[in-house]
Amino acid sequence: MEPPRIELSSDTQTRPTAGMREAMANAEVGDEQRGEDPTVNALCARMAELMGKEAAVFLPSGTMANQIAFLVHCRPGDEILAEERYHVINLEGAGAAALAGAFVRPISAPRGIFTAEQLEARIRKPRRETPRPRVVTIEQTVNFGSGAIWPVEAIHEVAAVARRHGLLMHMDGARLLNAAVASGVSAASYCEAFDSVWLDLSKGLGCPVGAVLAGSEPFISEAWVWKQRLGGAMRQAGVLAAAGLYALAHHVERMTEDHDNARLFAERIAGLPGVHVAEPIETNIVLFDINGMTAEALVNALAAKGIRLDAIDTQRLRAVTHLDVNRAQVEEAAAAVAEIMGG
Ligand SMILES: *Cc1c(COP(=O)(O)O)cnc(C)c1O
């Protein structure tokens, strides 16, 4: 199959740029699992500082970052609280159950952002026969909440409830830097209330591989045990970490373009017949619902024009902007939706 000309299905679909490839080619390397890769060590130090934590560990993926955090935090039978649309519930093969033996109890909240009251109501009173609540997870930004940003005050309110009940706080920060760039709030401020946080290199940052998990020294030291156990320890991984360092220097501020492009796409399609933009656009993700045809039919009609979006439900689609899609392409994609929907 021909690759699409205009790729809006995910911000994971970027190719490393020439500058990034050059940085990768020139990376100093060593044995990562012995702690001897200078580029990985530099990336981890930078990321720990960025997220305001003592230490960090480089991992192959964000999924592994979530799972390792749960493995460190939980014992079998423990309960993790998360919003029902989060990645940890829907897209990690029930990893928390399969690996940590933890039960994920969903909370339902608009755009995936629950309140302190909602959390309080969902925390079970300690009883021998109930699961033991252990971790509260939030997603920054909320992927299936149209990239909504968890406001820093809302995080602190939720964290206060969690602390009062002796629970730990975990952030799935796959798109943490989109939140920081869009709001002007520092990544470290967003991370302050958390025991564990991670961000993805392979989303808006445009790297081919990797995620970085951060926390206290003792947490990261335990995370390393699980990284080794799960086969996540690497060797000359500096070539990958170099992409991350390059992205921190070149691909952070530019995310405002992605956010502008997402808003532009949403504005262009919002008034079309049979199209309803589900939620306000704060970052790089647009969710929209259609009627008159299925989401799959629209995906196929767009594919015929070389444009790729994702159907995420029978009537709902997702468009994600990123480094490899420019304003003109976003305009073309919106015009194609208009033509197909009869706008
Ligand atoms: C992509 C994503 C993950 C998983 O990251 P991978 O690097 O793809 O394993 C987890 N959470 C959210 C919110 C994501 O968008």
Side-chain angles (χ1 to χ4, degrees), residues 138-193:
I138 72 131
E139 216 173 82
Q140 184 72 302
T141 64
V142 185
N143 183 353
F144 292 115
S146 301
I149 299 172
W150 261 89
V152 109
E153 310 75 48
I155 290 174
H156 284 289
E157 285 165 20
V158 160
V161 171
R163 296 283 170 233
R164 187 144 35 77
H165 291 274
L167 310 193
L168 298 168
M169 290 286 290
H170 172 70
M171 181 196 282
D172 169 343
R175 297 185 179 82
L176 168 62
L177 290 178
N178 289 88
V181 166
S183 66
V185 174
S186 71
S189 300
Y190 280 128
C191 295
E192 201 188 330

Short mmCIF file of all heavy atoms in Angstrom, two decimals, residues 138-193:
data_model
loop_
_atom_site.label_atom_id
_atom_site.label_comp_id
_atom_site.label_asym_id
_atom_site.label_seq_id
_atom_site.Cartn_x
_atom_site.Cartn_y
_atom_site.Cartn_z
N ILE A 138 -3.22 9.89 36.10
CA ILE A 138 -3.82 10.82 35.15
C ILE A 138 -3.01 10.79 33.85
O ILE A 138 -1.85 10.36 33.83
CB ILE A 138 -3.87 12.28 35.68
CG1 ILE A 138 -2.48 12.92 35.72
CG2 ILE A 138 -4.53 12.36 37.06
CD1 ILE A 138 -2.45 14.27 35.09
N GLU A 139 -3.66 11.22 32.79
CA GLU A 139 -3.03 11.27 31.48
C GLU A 139 -2.84 12.74 31.10
O GLU A 139 -3.79 13.52 31.14
CB GLU A 139 -3.97 10.60 30.46
CG GLU A 139 -3.31 9.81 29.39
CD GLU A 139 -4.32 9.05 28.55
OE1 GLU A 139 -4.90 9.66 27.63
OE2 GLU A 139 -4.54 7.86 28.79
N GLN A 140 -1.62 13.12 30.73
CA GLN A 140 -1.34 14.51 30.34
C GLN A 140 -0.68 14.51 28.98
O GLN A 140 0.46 14.04 28.88
CB GLN A 140 -0.43 15.16 31.39
CG GLN A 140 -0.13 16.62 31.19
CD GLN A 140 -1.31 17.53 31.49
OE1 GLN A 140 -2.37 17.39 30.86
NE2 GLN A 140 -1.15 18.45 32.41
N THR A 141 -1.31 14.96 27.93
CA THR A 141 -2.68 15.40 27.81
C THR A 141 -3.60 14.17 27.69
O THR A 141 -3.10 13.05 27.52
CB THR A 141 -2.83 16.27 26.54
OG1 THR A 141 -2.56 15.47 25.38
CG2 THR A 141 -1.85 17.42 26.54
N VAL A 142 -4.90 14.37 27.72
CA VAL A 142 -5.82 13.23 27.61
C VAL A 142 -6.04 12.92 26.13
O VAL A 142 -6.71 13.65 25.41
CB VAL A 142 -7.17 13.52 28.29
CG1 VAL A 142 -8.04 12.26 28.26
CG2 VAL A 142 -6.97 14.00 29.73
N ASN A 143 -5.46 11.82 25.72
CA ASN A 143 -5.50 11.42 24.32
C ASN A 143 -6.94 11.38 23.78
O ASN A 143 -7.28 12.11 22.85
CB ASN A 143 -4.81 10.04 24.22
CG ASN A 143 -4.71 9.51 22.80
OD1 ASN A 143 -5.24 10.08 21.86
ND2 ASN A 143 -4.02 8.41 22.64
N PHE A 144 -7.79 10.55 24.39
CA PHE A 144 -9.17 10.45 23.90
C PHE A 144 -10.09 11.46 24.58
O PHE A 144 -11.29 11.26 24.63
CB PHE A 144 -9.66 9.00 24.00
CG PHE A 144 -8.94 8.10 23.03
CD1 PHE A 144 -8.11 7.08 23.47
CD2 PHE A 144 -9.04 8.32 21.66
CE1 PHE A 144 -7.41 6.28 22.56
CE2 PHE A 144 -8.34 7.53 20.75
CZ PHE A 144 -7.53 6.50 21.20
N GLY A 145 -9.49 12.53 25.06
CA GLY A 145 -10.24 13.69 25.54
C GLY A 145 -9.87 14.89 24.68
O GLY A 145 -9.77 16.01 25.18
N SER A 146 -9.62 14.65 23.39
CA SER A 146 -9.19 15.71 22.44
C SER A 146 -7.94 16.42 22.91
O SER A 146 -7.80 17.64 22.74
CB SER A 146 -10.31 16.75 22.21
OG SER A 146 -11.46 16.16 21.69
N GLY A 147 -7.02 15.70 23.51
CA GLY A 147 -5.76 16.32 23.94
C GLY A 147 -5.95 17.36 25.04
O GLY A 147 -5.18 18.32 25.13
N ALA A 148 -6.96 17.17 25.87
CA ALA A 148 -7.23 18.14 26.95
C ALA A 148 -6.07 18.18 27.94
O ALA A 148 -5.45 17.16 28.23
CB ALA A 148 -8.52 17.77 27.68
N ILE A 149 -5.82 19.37 28.45
CA ILE A 149 -4.75 19.58 29.43
C ILE A 149 -5.32 19.49 30.84
O ILE A 149 -6.28 20.19 31.16
CB ILE A 149 -4.10 20.96 29.22
CG1 ILE A 149 -3.49 21.06 27.81
CG2 ILE A 149 -3.05 21.24 30.29
CD1 ILE A 149 -3.00 22.46 27.45
N TRP A 150 -4.71 18.66 31.67
CA TRP A 150 -5.04 18.64 33.10
C TRP A 150 -4.47 19.92 33.71
O TRP A 150 -3.25 20.09 33.78
CB TRP A 150 -4.36 17.44 33.79
CG TRP A 150 -5.23 16.26 34.00
CD1 TRP A 150 -5.43 15.24 33.12
CD2 TRP A 150 -6.00 15.94 35.17
NE1 TRP A 150 -6.27 14.31 33.67
CE2 TRP A 150 -6.64 14.72 34.93
CE3 TRP A 150 -6.21 16.58 36.41
CZ2 TRP A 150 -7.47 14.11 35.86
CZ3 TRP A 150 -7.03 15.97 37.34
CH2 TRP A 150 -7.66 14.75 37.07
N PRO A 151 -5.33 20.83 34.19
CA PRO A 151 -4.80 22.06 34.79
C PRO A 151 -4.02 21.73 36.06
O PRO A 151 -4.35 20.78 36.77
CB PRO A 151 -6.05 22.88 35.13
CG PRO A 151 -7.17 22.24 34.37
CD PRO A 151 -6.80 20.80 34.19
N VAL A 152 -3.01 22.53 36.31
CA VAL A 152 -2.13 22.26 37.44
C VAL A 152 -2.91 22.29 38.78
O VAL A 152 -2.69 21.47 39.66
CB VAL A 152 -0.94 23.24 37.37
CG1 VAL A 152 -0.95 24.29 38.42
CG2 VAL A 152 0.37 22.50 37.34
N GLU A 153 -3.88 23.20 38.89
CA GLU A 153 -4.66 23.27 40.14
C GLU A 153 -5.48 21.99 40.32
O GLU A 153 -5.59 21.47 41.44
CB GLU A 153 -5.65 24.46 40.14
CG GLU A 153 -5.06 25.81 39.76
CD GLU A 153 -4.81 25.93 38.24
OE1 GLU A 153 -5.72 25.59 37.45
OE2 GLU A 153 -3.70 26.35 37.85
N ALA A 154 -6.07 21.51 39.23
CA ALA A 154 -6.87 20.28 39.31
C ALA A 154 -5.99 19.11 39.74
O ALA A 154 -6.41 18.26 40.53
CB ALA A 154 -7.52 19.99 37.96
N ILE A 155 -4.76 19.09 39.26
CA ILE A 155 -3.82 18.03 39.65
C ILE A 155 -3.57 18.11 41.16
O ILE A 155 -3.63 17.09 41.87
CB ILE A 155 -2.48 18.17 38.89
CG1 ILE A 155 -2.68 17.82 37.41
CG2 ILE A 155 -1.40 17.28 39.52
CD1 ILE A 155 -1.45 18.06 36.53
N HIS A 156 -3.32 19.32 41.66
CA HIS A 156 -3.02 19.45 43.08
C HIS A 156 -4.22 19.09 43.96
O HIS A 156 -4.06 18.50 45.02
CB HIS A 156 -2.46 20.84 43.39
CG HIS A 156 -1.02 20.97 42.94
ND1 HIS A 156 0.02 20.31 43.58
CD2 HIS A 156 -0.47 21.60 41.89
CE1 HIS A 156 1.15 20.58 42.94
NE2 HIS A 156 0.88 21.35 41.92
N GLU A 157 -5.41 19.41 43.50
CA GLU A 157 -6.61 19.05 44.27
C GLU A 157 -6.78 17.53 44.34
O GLU A 157 -7.07 16.98 45.40
CB GLU A 157 -7.85 19.69 43.62
CG GLU A 157 -7.93 21.20 43.88
CD GLU A 157 -8.93 21.92 42.98
OE1 GLU A 157 -9.83 21.25 42.41
OE2 GLU A 157 -8.78 23.15 42.83
N VAL A 158 -6.58 16.90 43.19
CA VAL A 158 -6.69 15.43 43.15
C VAL A 158 -5.58 14.79 43.99
O VAL A 158 -5.82 13.83 44.74
CB VAL A 158 -6.64 14.98 41.66
CG1 VAL A 158 -6.27 13.53 41.54
CG2 VAL A 158 -7.98 15.26 40.98
N ALA A 159 -4.38 15.36 43.89
CA ALA A 159 -3.25 14.80 44.64
C ALA A 159 -3.47 14.92 46.15
O ALA A 159 -3.09 14.02 46.91
CB ALA A 159 -1.95 15.50 44.23
N ALA A 160 -4.10 16.00 46.58
CA ALA A 160 -4.34 16.19 48.01
C ALA A 160 -5.25 15.08 48.53
O ALA A 160 -5.03 14.53 49.62
CB ALA A 160 -4.95 17.57 48.27
N VAL A 161 -6.27 14.73 47.74
CA VAL A 161 -7.17 13.63 48.13
C VAL A 161 -6.39 12.31 48.16
O VAL A 161 -6.49 11.53 49.12
CB VAL A 161 -8.37 13.53 47.15
CG1 VAL A 161 -9.18 12.27 47.42
CG2 VAL A 161 -9.23 14.78 47.25
N ALA A 162 -5.59 12.09 47.11
CA ALA A 162 -4.81 10.85 47.05
C ALA A 162 -3.91 10.73 48.28
O ALA A 162 -3.87 9.68 48.94
CB ALA A 162 -3.98 10.83 45.77
N ARG A 163 -3.21 11.79 48.61
CA ARG A 163 -2.29 11.78 49.77
C ARG A 163 -3.04 11.48 51.06
O ARG A 163 -2.58 10.72 51.90
CB ARG A 163 -1.59 13.13 49.94
CG ARG A 163 -0.70 13.53 48.81
CD ARG A 163 0.64 12.80 48.81
NE ARG A 163 1.29 13.08 47.54
CZ ARG A 163 1.76 12.16 46.71
NH1 ARG A 163 1.73 10.88 47.01
NH2 ARG A 163 2.30 12.50 45.57
N ARG A 164 -4.18 12.14 51.22
CA ARG A 164 -4.96 11.95 52.46
C ARG A 164 -5.31 10.47 52.65
O ARG A 164 -5.40 9.99 53.77
CB ARG A 164 -6.21 12.83 52.39
CG ARG A 164 -7.03 12.89 53.64
CD ARG A 164 -7.65 14.27 53.90
NE ARG A 164 -8.07 15.00 52.71
CZ ARG A 164 -9.19 14.74 52.01
NH1 ARG A 164 -10.00 13.76 52.38
NH2 ARG A 164 -9.48 15.45 50.93
N HIS A 165 -5.48 9.76 51.53
CA HIS A 165 -5.81 8.33 51.63
C HIS A 165 -4.58 7.44 51.49
O HIS A 165 -4.70 6.23 51.35
CB HIS A 165 -6.85 7.97 50.56
CG HIS A 165 -8.19 8.59 50.81
ND1 HIS A 165 -9.15 7.99 51.61
CD2 HIS A 165 -8.72 9.77 50.41
CE1 HIS A 165 -10.22 8.78 51.66
NE2 HIS A 165 -9.99 9.85 50.95
N GLY A 166 -3.42 8.05 51.47
CA GLY A 166 -2.18 7.26 51.39
C GLY A 166 -1.92 6.66 50.02
O GLY A 166 -1.22 5.65 49.90
N LEU A 167 -2.49 7.25 48.96
CA LEU A 167 -2.29 6.70 47.62
C LEU A 167 -1.13 7.40 46.90
O LEU A 167 -0.82 8.55 47.19
CB LEU A 167 -3.55 6.88 46.75
CG LEU A 167 -4.89 6.42 47.31
CD1 LEU A 167 -5.93 6.38 46.20
CD2 LEU A 167 -4.78 5.04 47.95
N LEU A 168 -0.55 6.69 45.94
CA LEU A 168 0.53 7.25 45.12
C LEU A 168 -0.07 7.91 43.88
O LEU A 168 -1.18 7.59 43.47
CB LEU A 168 1.49 6.13 44.70
CG LEU A 168 2.20 5.42 45.85
CD1 LEU A 168 2.88 4.15 45.34
CD2 LEU A 168 3.21 6.34 46.51
N MET A 169 0.69 8.82 43.30
CA MET A 169 0.25 9.53 42.09
C MET A 169 1.18 9.17 40.92
O MET A 169 2.40 9.28 41.03
CB MET A 169 0.31 11.04 42.32
CG MET A 169 -0.72 11.59 43.28
SD MET A 169 -2.40 11.66 42.57
CE MET A 169 -2.21 13.00 41.36
N HIS A 170 0.57 8.78 39.79
CA HIS A 170 1.33 8.45 38.58
C HIS A 170 0.82 9.28 37.41
O HIS A 170 -0.40 9.38 37.21
CB HIS A 170 1.18 6.95 38.27
CG HIS A 170 1.77 6.56 36.95
ND1 HIS A 170 3.13 6.54 36.71
CD2 HIS A 170 1.19 6.19 35.77
CE1 HIS A 170 3.35 6.17 35.45
NE2 HIS A 170 2.19 5.95 34.87
N MET A 171 1.73 9.84 36.63
CA MET A 171 1.33 10.56 35.42
C MET A 171 1.80 9.84 34.16
O MET A 171 2.99 9.61 33.97
CB MET A 171 1.91 11.98 35.39
CG MET A 171 1.48 12.74 34.13
SD MET A 171 2.46 14.21 33.81
CE MET A 171 1.74 15.33 34.98
N ASP A 172 0.81 9.49 33.33
CA ASP A 172 1.10 9.05 31.97
C ASP A 172 1.24 10.34 31.16
O ASP A 172 0.26 10.92 30.71
CB ASP A 172 -0.07 8.18 31.46
CG ASP A 172 0.01 7.89 29.97
OD1 ASP A 172 0.75 8.60 29.25
OD2 ASP A 172 -0.69 6.96 29.52
N GLY A 173 2.49 10.79 31.03
CA GLY A 173 2.74 12.08 30.37
C GLY A 173 3.18 11.90 28.94
O GLY A 173 4.08 12.62 28.47
N ALA A 174 2.55 10.99 28.22
CA ALA A 174 2.91 10.76 26.81
C ALA A 174 3.07 12.09 26.08
O ALA A 174 4.01 12.28 25.33
CB ALA A 174 1.86 9.89 26.13
N ARG A 175 2.12 13.02 26.33
CA ARG A 175 2.16 14.33 25.64
C ARG A 175 2.31 15.48 26.62
O ARG A 175 1.77 16.57 26.43
CB ARG A 175 0.92 14.50 24.76
CG ARG A 175 0.84 13.45 23.66
CD ARG A 175 -0.33 13.67 22.71
NE ARG A 175 -0.33 12.65 21.67
CZ ARG A 175 -0.81 11.42 21.81
NH1 ARG A 175 -1.38 11.07 22.95
NH2 ARG A 175 -0.74 10.54 20.82
N LEU A 176 3.07 15.25 27.68
CA LEU A 176 3.32 16.27 28.70
C LEU A 176 3.84 17.58 28.10
O LEU A 176 3.44 18.67 28.50
CB LEU A 176 4.32 15.71 29.72
CG LEU A 176 4.94 16.69 30.72
CD1 LEU A 176 3.88 17.32 31.60
CD2 LEU A 176 5.99 15.97 31.57
N LEU A 177 4.75 17.47 27.13
CA LEU A 177 5.33 18.70 26.59
C LEU A 177 4.35 19.47 25.70
O LEU A 177 4.45 20.70 25.59
CB LEU A 177 6.64 18.41 25.86
CG LEU A 177 7.77 18.00 26.82
CD1 LEU A 177 9.04 17.67 26.05
CD2 LEU A 177 8.07 19.09 27.84
N ASN A 178 3.38 18.77 25.11
CA ASN A 178 2.33 19.51 24.40
C ASN A 178 1.58 20.39 25.40
O ASN A 178 1.26 21.54 25.11
CB ASN A 178 1.35 18.55 23.72
CG ASN A 178 1.95 17.84 22.53
OD1 ASN A 178 2.56 16.79 22.69
ND2 ASN A 178 1.83 18.43 21.36
N ALA A 179 1.31 19.82 26.58
CA ALA A 179 0.60 20.59 27.61
C ALA A 179 1.44 21.79 28.03
O ALA A 179 0.93 22.91 28.13
CB ALA A 179 0.29 19.70 28.81
N ALA A 180 2.73 21.56 28.27
CA ALA A 180 3.60 22.64 28.75
C ALA A 180 3.71 23.75 27.72
O ALA A 180 3.61 24.94 28.05
CB ALA A 180 4.98 22.07 29.09
N VAL A 181 3.89 23.37 26.45
CA VAL A 181 4.04 24.38 25.40
C VAL A 181 2.73 25.15 25.20
O VAL A 181 2.73 26.38 25.06
CB VAL A 181 4.50 23.72 24.07
CG1 VAL A 181 4.35 24.66 22.89
CG2 VAL A 181 5.95 23.25 24.20
N ALA A 182 1.61 24.45 25.24
CA ALA A 182 0.33 25.13 24.99
C ALA A 182 -0.05 26.07 26.12
O ALA A 182 -0.65 27.11 25.90
CB ALA A 182 -0.78 24.09 24.77
N SER A 183 0.29 25.70 27.36
CA SER A 183 -0.20 26.47 28.51
C SER A 183 0.84 27.44 29.06
O SER A 183 0.49 28.36 29.79
CB SER A 183 -0.57 25.49 29.64
OG SER A 183 0.61 24.85 30.11
N GLY A 184 2.12 27.20 28.76
CA GLY A 184 3.17 28.01 29.36
C GLY A 184 3.52 27.59 30.78
O GLY A 184 4.40 28.17 31.41
N VAL A 185 2.85 26.56 31.30
CA VAL A 185 3.20 26.01 32.62
C VAL A 185 4.37 25.04 32.41
O VAL A 185 4.37 24.27 31.45
CB VAL A 185 1.98 25.25 33.22
CG1 VAL A 185 2.34 24.54 34.51
CG2 VAL A 185 0.81 26.21 33.44
N SER A 186 5.37 25.08 33.29
CA SER A 186 6.54 24.22 33.05
C SER A 186 6.19 22.75 33.26
O SER A 186 5.28 22.41 34.04
CB SER A 186 7.67 24.60 34.00
OG SER A 186 7.35 24.20 35.32
N ALA A 187 6.93 21.90 32.58
CA ALA A 187 6.75 20.45 32.75
C ALA A 187 6.94 20.09 34.22
O ALA A 187 6.18 19.29 34.78
CB ALA A 187 7.73 19.69 31.87
N ALA A 188 7.94 20.70 34.86
CA ALA A 188 8.21 20.37 36.27
C ALA A 188 7.02 20.73 37.17
O ALA A 188 6.69 19.98 38.10
CB ALA A 188 9.47 21.10 36.75
N SER A 189 6.35 21.85 36.88
CA SER A 189 5.17 22.21 37.68
C SER A 189 4.08 21.16 37.51
O SER A 189 3.41 20.78 38.48
CB SER A 189 4.61 23.56 37.26
OG SER A 189 5.57 24.55 37.45
N TYR A 190 3.89 20.70 36.29
CA TYR A 190 2.89 19.65 36.09
C TYR A 190 3.24 18.37 36.82
O TYR A 190 2.38 17.60 37.21
CB TYR A 190 2.73 19.35 34.59
CG TYR A 190 1.86 20.33 33.84
CD1 TYR A 190 2.31 20.93 32.68
CD2 TYR A 190 0.58 20.64 34.29
CE1 TYR A 190 1.51 21.82 31.98
CE2 TYR A 190 -0.22 21.53 33.60
CZ TYR A 190 0.24 22.12 32.44
OH TYR A 190 -0.54 23.01 31.76
N CYS A 191 4.54 18.12 37.00
CA CYS A 191 4.99 16.83 37.55
C CYS A 191 5.11 16.82 39.07
O CYS A 191 5.28 15.75 39.66
CB CYS A 191 6.35 16.46 36.95
SG CYS A 191 6.28 16.16 35.19
N GLU A 192 5.06 18.01 39.67
CA GLU A 192 5.40 18.16 41.08
C GLU A 192 4.66 17.18 42.00
O GLU A 192 5.26 16.60 42.91
CB GLU A 192 5.08 19.60 41.49
CG GLU A 192 5.79 20.07 42.72
CD GLU A 192 5.27 21.44 43.17
OE1 GLU A 192 4.84 22.23 42.29
OE2 GLU A 192 5.28 21.68 44.37
N ALA A 193 3.38 16.99 41.76
CA ALA A 193 2.56 16.20 42.70
C ALA A 193 2.70 14.68 42.51
O ALA A 193 2.03 13.92 43.20
CB ALA A 193 1.09 16.61 42.54
#
